[in-house]
Amino acid sequence: MLPDRCRDRLSSGQALNSSEAEYLFSFVENGGAEPDDDDKAGGVVAAAATLLVLANDWLATNPAAQARSIEVVRATVADIPTNVAAVRGRRFGRTSNDLAFAAHATMHLWLEDRSNLECEHNLVRLLTTGDLQVARVIMDLAVAWREALGDAWWRLLQLGVLWSGLVLLMPRDDDEEAAATVWGVWLARLRRFRLSGEATTIEALDFKRVAAAVGRMRFDREMRNFLAGDDAWRGEPERQIGDLLDVQFLDGLFAWLLAGDGTGDRGLDQELTLRIWDYDAMRAKQHAKTERYGEYDLPSQ
């Protein structure tokens, strides 16, 4: 299928020749024309993204094709949900190939022109979908361009850590509509996060601080519901300090470090790993306090 071939070609980084570029653009124009391709929409996004990343020379002489390919990627990002129900469905649903391709193209365009605020905004939206594949695509590219990104590298990681906390504050299906409205405001605020123009260091990756804020906000909400009699059957809530970040998402965000080759800077990789381990050890200790037999939880990383 075309998406698989596009994924392999993007991984190789080999530029497209004119014939290949023309074929992919005809696929974009026809809205998916391969009879054996069951995911035509995803195939169109894959073709458009591959053109934008690997056909710079051809696109330079075919501006209409470039504009159309950018339009396809832009429309894909625009479909990213903003309300609680849709975000929840995206988080627990099937991994989206079209978003992963859109992430690759958006990251490429942003790296080419860091002053492009639209690309920066779209990148933030993509990283706050909760899609693990999208997080891996963005961070794999970011690692390769870490030195060129400068402070924006830390901002990407900081954004991912903040999202890992916000997503666990997502209201339940049976919560009042007001809770969903408030969470939507928080999400909109996070999606205004700037990646460029902010001096940032490794100190911004404070897993414990984010987890503590999530725990405090979750406790306050649960206590309000309890006092109002809405959740009395659950019993009086207790404060928690563990399991307050989306560890599964963090696994995807830091896959390049935990399961890959890292940055190549051993000292930096060690410091990052120790920060992650420090939070994970705290999480395991908290689990031991609440677990019936006082056993430590297994490390999540």
Side-chain angles (χ1 to χ4, degrees), residues 132-146:
L132 301 185
Q133 186 179 358
V134 170
R136 289 191 177 100
V137 167
I138 292 174
M139 293 315 304
D140 283 347
L141 292 170
V143 169
W145 292 88
R146 179 177 63 86

Side-chain angles (χ1 to χ4, degrees), residues 65-171:
Q66 183 180 42
R68 174 60 181 143
S69 298
I70 290 175
E71 179 184 342
V72 168
V73 171
R74 182 186 290 131
T76 303
V77 177
D79 283 340
I80 291 173
T82 57
N83 64 75
V84 172
V87 172
R88 184 186 293 109
R90 174 75 72 179
R91 180 175 178 238
F92 294 109
R94 185 167 59 93
T95 297
S96 173
N97 286 324
D98 54 350
L99 279 182
F101 283 113
H104 201 130
T106 302
M107 188 69 175
H108 174 79
L109 293 171
W110 185 59
L111 287 169
E112 281 193 331
D113 180 10
R114 294 272 301 284
S115 66
N116 189 327
L117 294 181
E118 181 187 10
C119 279
E120 179 178 320
H121 176 67
N122 286 344
L123 200 59
V124 170
R125 292 195 67 183
L126 284 159
L127 197 55
T128 54
T129 62
D131 191 304
L132 301 185
Q133 186 179 358
V134 170
R136 289 191 177 100
V137 167
I138 292 174
M139 293 315 304
D140 283 347
L141 292 170
V143 169
W145 292 88
R146 179 177 63 86
E147 292 188 5
L149 285 172
D151 290 340
W153 155 259
W154 297 115
R155 296 288 286 178
L156 276 168
L157 291 174
Q158 183 184 16
L159 173 63
V161 173
L162 291 172
W163 166 257
S164 75
L166 179 62
V167 74
L168 292 193
L169 288 170
M170 189 183 301

Side-chain angles (χ1 to χ4, degrees), residues 25-42:
F25 185 61
S26 69
F27 192 90
V28 172
E29 284 289 83
N30 294 331
E34 287 194 342
D36 62 340
D37 190 355
D38 295 328
D39 184 13
K40 290 186 176 181

Side-chain angles (χ1 to χ4, degrees), residues 249-270:
F249 178 76
L250 291 177
D251 282 346
L253 186 71
F254 289 96
W256 54 272
L257 173 67
L258 302 172
D261 298 327
T263 63
D265 183 331
R266 185 172 181 178
L268 178 61
D269 290 348
Q270 183 180 41

